[in-house]
Amino acid sequence: MKKYDVIVIGGGAGGLTVASGARSLGAKVALIEKEKHLGGDCLHVGCVPSKSFIQAAKEIHSAKEKATKLGLEVSGEVSLKKINERVRSSIDVIQHHDSDERFINMGIDLYKGLGVFTSDHTVKINDDEIYGKRIVIATGSRAFIPSIKGLKEVGYLTNETIFNQEKLPKDLLVIGSGAIGLELSQAMARFGANVTVVERSKTMLSKEDQSIRNVAGKLLEKELTFLLDSDVIHVEKRNGKKIVSVKKNDTLTKLEVDEILVAVGRTPNSDNLSLTNAGVTKNEKGYITTNAKLQTNVSHIYAIGDVNGKFAFTHVAGEEGKTVVQNAVLGIPKKMNYEQIPWIIYTDPEIFHIGLTEQEIKEKGITYSSYEVPLTDVDRFVADHQSDGIIKILTNSKGKIIGAHAIGKGAGDWMQTVIYAIKHGKKIGDLSQMIYPYPNHAAAIQRTADIYWRDKLFNGLLPKVTKKYIKWFR
């Protein structure tokens, strides 16, 4: 039986971070991946293909919109086959960075197959059984499929299958209005599908700040039909169409669609690991519970990424991977901090989120100030004719940033400065002291921070003092 310092189960973002990091520090590493290629869901059915998909939709939408404004008529149908060929080409380029050869050349032993625990230190892959001093579970998640009568029999799409489609549905029903649901819904609508989104909650984007939700709702409703506070209770097939029964309160509505996309959340890939053989526990939803150092209840076994249920983001899995390398390989205690996790929803315009929302601040009873600017006040967005959106920065009583939110063109890029400021404990006033080359999009941050200084300088004692100073000495 081969023995390793670290066994990593799962070759996605988190697992690859641990494997490469541990090996770079001199550890003997085994990496187990059940799929044909490394890279995980993010590369093959998640972040990468969806962003390529979304970009194609933006280009088509922009071309149609600009042509119409210039008096040109645009006609014809989009080839979903061609679009998904482009998606796969993006995956192929990035796959090179996550190739088997790259990790094998690092000196990592790569095993292809399903890794199953046989004890708390041993894992079996096909006919091989290996031993690990430390074991890291990084098996990710998959689309959660709700129990809806007839859904399985009629068939449906998920983020794992939509990028294999060749024919664009004329009418598409999307179940769920989270990030995946909204991103793919908008893209499909821009390709030419009539898209209806069904959401059980009374609002979409429930984790976002109310100001952002208000703007996002108005913009997305221009392209999508929303049925909020509603449930899909039955699906059947009739004359080649899918008949979907949607219930809101006591009212039942039947919709005739060509295809259904399920996007109601994720479920962890923890069910085929034989965790009981290792004594590892998981919660009622299947997520493996961990402490702040990402240890499971078995201290030498760690769980990172989607499978631990903290945040289902690739960048979080990567950060967790770095934390585990320090804890498991170097033995230097480090806790994972989830208070400063940013995320982006790649609708058009993009939605950016970091820290607390205004609602959460109120619930916590924190004394705060809110600084909000519409992008119509920022010259670059006006010049681009893309000024839909707002930026909102929330601070405590001392001016320290405790939350920042934006919706606007490229918000995920130009809000990066705020992430740095929060990470280093900077105050909103510090953001005003930077020089912003005119005219750039990040000037939205400057305009927001300037409000803080105007309130501070011109509504307090200072104007009275300077008035006397100017009168007597200047």
Side-chain angles (χ1 to χ4, degrees):
M1 181 185 295
K2 283 191 176 182
K3 294 186 177 182
Y4 296 91
D5 297 309
V6 180
I7 295 175
V8 181
I9 307 175
L16 295 182
T17 298
V18 175
S20 58
R23 182 61 193 143
S24 297
L25 292 170
K28 187 177 181 182
V29 179
L31 174 61
I32 303 168
E33 173 54 52
K34 65 181 177 64
E35 301 295 341
K36 182 179 180 182
H37 298 292
L38 296 174
D41 275 10
C42 179
L43 174 57
H44 298 288
V45 295
C47 321
V48 172
S50 66
K51 302 313 165 281
S52 181
F53 201 72
I54 289 166
Q55 181 59 30
K58 283 183 181 179
E59 291 172 7
I60 289 168
H61 177 73
S62 178
K64 288 181 178 178
E65 189 177 51
K66 290 176 181 178
T68 301
K69 286 181 178 179
L70 294 172
L72 298 175
E73 290 186 8
V74 179
S75 61
E77 295 183 356
V78 169
S79 169
L80 198 59
K81 180 181 179 181
K82 288 288 185 183
I83 289 166
N84 280 330
E85 285 175 359
R86 169 173 156 165
V87 167
R88 283 189 287 275
S89 71
S90 299
I91 294 172
D92 291 341
V93 171
I94 298 174
Q95 177 67 65
H96 176 72
H97 303 300
D98 291 341
S99 66
D100 293 1
E101 292 75 21
R102 176 172 176 243
F103 288 88
I104 292 170
N105 290 338
M106 287 182 189
I108 295 169
D109 286 352
L110 179 59
Y111 294 85
K112 289 295 183 72
L114 179 66
V116 179
F117 281 97
T118 51
S119 76
D120 64 335
H121 277 288
T122 55
V123 179
K124 189 174 183 180
I125 318 99
N126 302 321
D127 296 326
D128 294 310
E129 188 171 21
I130 57 178
Y131 175 97
K133 291 180 184 177
R134 304 284 188 272
I135 301 175
V136 182
I137 304 169
T139 48
S141 65
R142 61 187 184 275
F144 173 76
I145 309 302
S147 298
I148 297 172
K149 187 176 180 181
L151 180 63
K152 183 178 180 181
E153 291 74 17
V154 165
Y156 54 87
L157 299 174
T158 69
N159 69 294
E160 297 171 10
T161 57
I162 194 170
F163 306 117
N164 297 323
Q165 301 304 302
E166 296 187 355
K167 183 179 179 182
L168 181 73
K170 180 181 178 182
D171 296 290
L172 173 68
L173 183 101
V174 179
I175 307 175
S177 68
I180 295 173
L182 289 181
E183 288 176 1
L184 295 179
S185 292
Q186 186 182 46
M188 292 294 277
R190 290 181 167 189
F191 291 145
N194 299 312
V195 182
T196 300
V197 181
V198 179
E199 170 57 52
R200 295 186 66 180
S201 300
K202 294 181 179 181
T203 179
M204 69 181 84
L205 299 168
S206 59
K207 293 184 179 180
E208 303 307 319
D209 189 274
Q210 184 65 54
S211 298
I212 302 299
R213 291 208 304 263
N214 291 342
V215 175
K218 290 176 182 177
L219 294 175
L220 290 171
E221 283 172 357
K222 295 178 181 179
E223 301 181 66
L224 309 170
T225 299
F226 288 94
L227 299 178
L228 302 177
D229 194 20
S230 302
D231 272 312
V232 175
I233 61 170
H234 182 257
V235 182
E236 60 183 316
K237 201 161 190 176
R238 188 188 307 155
N239 299 324
K241 292 281 189 176
K242 298 180 180 183
I243 312 300
V244 183
S245 298
V246 181
K247 187 176 182 181
K248 180 174 182 177
N249 299 322
D250 295 325
T251 303
L252 190 67
T253 303
K254 292 196 174 185
L255 303 174
E256 187 177 277
V257 300
D258 299 296
E259 194 55 86
I260 299 169
L261 171 65
V262 178
V264 293
R266 311 288 293 173
T267 191
N269 293 327
S270 62
D271 44 348
N272 294 318
L273 296 171
S274 297
L275 292 174
T276 53
N277 291 339
V280 173
T281 58
K282 54 185 179 179
N283 65 21
E284 66 280 358
K285 293 184 178 181
Y287 293 105
I288 299 173
T289 52
T290 61
N291 61 17
K293 292 190 288 186
L294 299 168
Q295 294 168 301
T296 68
N297 61 298
V298 181
S299 62
H300 62 271
I301 300 178
Y302 298 76
I304 64 172
D306 291 12
V307 77
N308 69 21
K310 299 293 195 302
F311 284 89
F313 299 120
T314 297
H315 53 285
V316 174
E319 193 64 28
E320 288 178 334
K322 295 175 185 177
T323 300
V324 164
V325 169
Q326 185 165 319
N327 285 319
V329 180
L330 297 178
I332 302 173
K334 182 183 179 182
K335 294 181 179 180
M336 183 69 191
N337 180 10
Y338 294 101
E339 293 183 359
Q340 300 173 349
I341 300 297
W343 67 73
I344 303 164
I345 298 175
Y346 291 93
T347 49
D348 185 18
E350 292 177 358
I351 296 170
F352 171 91
H353 178 126
I354 187 171
L356 300 174
T357 64
E358 189 167 0
Q359 301 92 295
E360 290 169 335
I361 291 172
K362 289 178 179 178
E363 290 169 5
K364 291 177 180 288
I366 300 171
T367 301
Y368 75 100
S369 295
S370 175
Y371 305 94
E372 185 175 318
V373 170
L375 297 187
T376 50
D377 287 355
V378 183
D379 292 355
R380 179 56 187 271
F381 289 100
V382 175
D384 290 345
H385 290 269
Q386 291 185 310
S387 58
D388 288 328
I390 60 168
I391 173 176
K392 182 175 184 178
I393 297 178
L394 301 156
T395 70
N396 63 17
S397 58
K398 295 182 179 179
K400 186 176 180 180
I401 303 169
I402 55 177
H405 309 274
I407 177 170
K409 173 193 174 185
D413 293 321
W414 49 264
M415 285 295 283
Q416 188 69 28
T417 304
V418 181
I419 299 176
Y420 182 85
I422 292 176
K423 177 73 174 177
H424 294 278
K426 300 296 182 181
K427 297 182 178 181
I428 187 171
D430 296 321
L431 293 172
S432 184
Q433 302 305 307
M434 297 169 53
I435 296 176
Y436 296 76
Y438 182 85
N440 71 4
H441 297 105
I445 299 171
Q446 182 184 33
R447 292 298 300 268
T448 310
D450 285 348
I451 296 174
Y452 166 82
W453 279 119
R454 283 200 296 272
D455 291 346
K456 195 85 169 174
L457 296 177
F458 305 136
N459 296 326
L461 179 64
L462 185 62
K464 297 177 182 178
V465 174
T466 55
K467 183 178 180 180
K468 290 183 178 180
Y469 173 78
I470 294 169
K471 179 179 179 181
W472 294 104
F473 298 102
R474 305 301 295 173

